[in-house]
Amino acid sequence: MPNWGEVLKEIQETHKKYPGKNPLDIVRRKYLKKVSTVTSRNVIAYYSGWLQKPKAPDTAVNDKDKSGFMLTIHKMDKSKGLDLILHTPGGDLAATESLVDYLYSMFGHNIRVIVPQISMSAGTMIALSAKEIILGKHSNLGPIDPQMGGMACQAILNEFEDAKRDIKSNPHAASLWQVIISKYHPTFLGACKQAIDWSENMVSQWLIDNMCSDDTSKVGGIMKMFADHKKQKSHARHISKKQCEEVGLNIISLEDNKELQDAVLTTHHAFMHAFASTNAVKIIENHNGIAYVEQSVPSIPTK
């Protein structure tokens, strides 16, 4: 299996072999095609460059992504199902719901998610909508508790409840708590509660309809693992493959298929080189080389 440095060397050699052509595209698409060849399924890679460009706009899941998926799904044989390779920090809840609904309308429930490294927050929600998730020993998912202004909604509600209890038992504490809770207004607290209900109900239904359709009793434990802020403590918590298996998710080990492992991880390295060497901040690309590239300049569909 080519490592990061060997993939870079192949890109450099490809540049010499095919002058005037983009070696990053050639190498990346070669291995993305190989993933499809191994699985005999449609493949779409959804990659964000947030690790290389943490301050760049448009790295998160958003409504513009639908255009990329529409482009890459066009003309696919939907009966072959979809393997979706995910690498994302997460993003907008409404955009995530709309995207999953669209994928269901195209492929039914015949969707698998592959996580070569990390798929957090809304990315984990997308993974939980699949029938199976393929993870390596190094792969991570993350908590799905919604955020408001960078703060966990459940933590905000918990803090407000702590304030009420403390003030009730010790009225003199009111002046101290006032400084803290004055930043929260009733509408904001209500929005936090609604966001929690929305995300939990949505993901629970996806699990019931797809991954846990044969055993819905597992849904409660899965939601406890991924949606309970009190359990995970931080929205940035990395949840391991072992934890995913223990809680009852339908997990396939990437290491069980050496040929698929080689293709997926080499594809991953190729995407990382693309973000490091270009202005791209997000790439949605299929196994036929059709890609939607979001850059620091307007997005460019390519073939």
Side-chain angles (χ1 to χ4, degrees):
M1 172 174 57
N3 60 30
W4 189 91
E6 289 169 337
V7 175
L8 177 59
K9 182 178 179 180
E10 181 176 353
I11 291 170
Q12 293 168 339
E13 291 174 348
T14 300
H15 177 65
K16 297 176 182 177
K17 188 175 180 180
Y18 300 102
K21 295 187 177 181
N22 189 330
L24 292 164
D25 288 348
I26 294 173
V27 173
R28 188 179 68 250
R29 291 168 181 174
K30 168 187 171 182
Y31 288 103
L32 190 54
K33 182 69 173 180
K34 186 177 179 181
V35 174
S36 178
T37 300
V38 172
T39 65
S40 299
R41 291 167 61 84
N42 295 306
V43 177
I44 294 177
Y46 176 91
Y47 263 79
S48 168
W50 93 99
L51 293 178
Q52 291 81 4
K53 303 176 175 79
K55 296 183 180 180
D58 294 323
T59 57
V61 177
N62 60 64
D63 280 322
K64 289 193 288 184
D65 296 340
K66 181 74 71 67
S67 297
F69 277 92
M70 291 172 66
L71 175 70
T72 52
I73 290 173
H74 183 57
K75 293 185 179 182
M76 277 185 172
D77 179 356
K78 315 302 190 300
S79 67
K80 293 183 178 181
L82 175 67
D83 283 346
L84 177 60
I85 305 176
L86 284 180
H87 182 74
T88 174
D92 183 73
L93 186 59
T96 300
E97 180 181 41
S98 178
L99 180 56
V100 170
D101 287 347
Y102 175 62
L103 293 177
Y104 279 168
S105 73
M106 293 290 103
F107 301 98
H109 290 140
N110 190 11
I111 299 169
R112 300 193 305 183
V113 163
I114 304 172
V115 181
Q117 182 180 351
I118 186 169
S119 183
M120 298 292 282
S121 190
T124 295
M125 296 175 75
I126 296 171
L128 295 178
S129 75
K131 69 172 184 176
E132 297 169 338
I133 307 174
I134 301 176
L135 301 176
K137 294 178 180 178
H138 52 279
S139 304
N140 291 112
L141 300 180
I144 63 171
D145 56 307
Q147 309 285 291
M148 289 280 188
M151 298 179 289
C153 290
Q154 189 59 60
I156 293 168
L157 296 178
N158 291 346
E159 185 176 53
F160 191 73
E161 291 301 317
D162 289 343
K164 290 197 299 183
R165 284 192 296 268
D166 194 18
I167 292 171
K168 184 177 180 179
S169 62
N170 179 20
H172 295 291
S175 58
L176 297 175
W177 276 110
Q178 184 178 13
V179 177
I180 298 173
I181 65 176
S182 61
K183 58 188 176 183
Y184 305 142
H185 52 81
T187 303
F188 180 71
L189 296 172
C192 287
K193 178 65 167 62
Q194 291 171 359
I196 293 170
D197 292 343
W198 181 11
S199 62
E200 291 185 0
N201 292 338
M202 182 167 61
V203 175
S204 293
Q205 194 60 54
W206 290 341
L207 288 167
I208 290 169
D209 291 342
N210 202 6
M211 190 181 298
C212 299
S213 60
D214 293 335
D215 185 3
T216 58
S217 66
K218 297 188 295 184
V219 173
I222 293 171
M223 294 304 296
K224 180 73 174 176
M225 169 67 76
F226 288 94
D228 189 347
H229 180 76
K230 290 182 179 179
K231 179 176 179 64
Q232 296 300 343
K233 311 300 184 186
S234 170
H235 193 64
R237 194 76 175 263
H238 289 29
I239 299 173
S240 69
K241 172 177 173 284
K242 181 180 179 181
Q243 290 173 295
C244 291
E245 291 171 331
E246 290 174 347
V247 81
L249 290 180
N250 191 0
I251 301 298
I252 297 175
S253 295
L254 183 60
E255 291 82 7
D256 287 349
N257 185 329
K258 184 64 164 57
E259 190 176 11
L260 179 61
Q261 180 188 29
D262 287 356
V264 167
L265 295 185
T266 308
T267 297
H268 179 71
H269 293 320
F271 271 94
M272 295 299 99
H273 283 299
F275 289 124
S277 303
T278 70
N279 290 327
V281 295
K282 186 182 291 175
I283 303 173
I284 305 172
E285 188 165 31
N286 70 17
H287 63 278
N288 292 319
I290 307 300
Y292 177 93
V293 183
E294 193 74 41
Q295 303 186 30
S296 52
V297 295
S299 54
I300 304 174
T302 64
K303 180 176 180 180

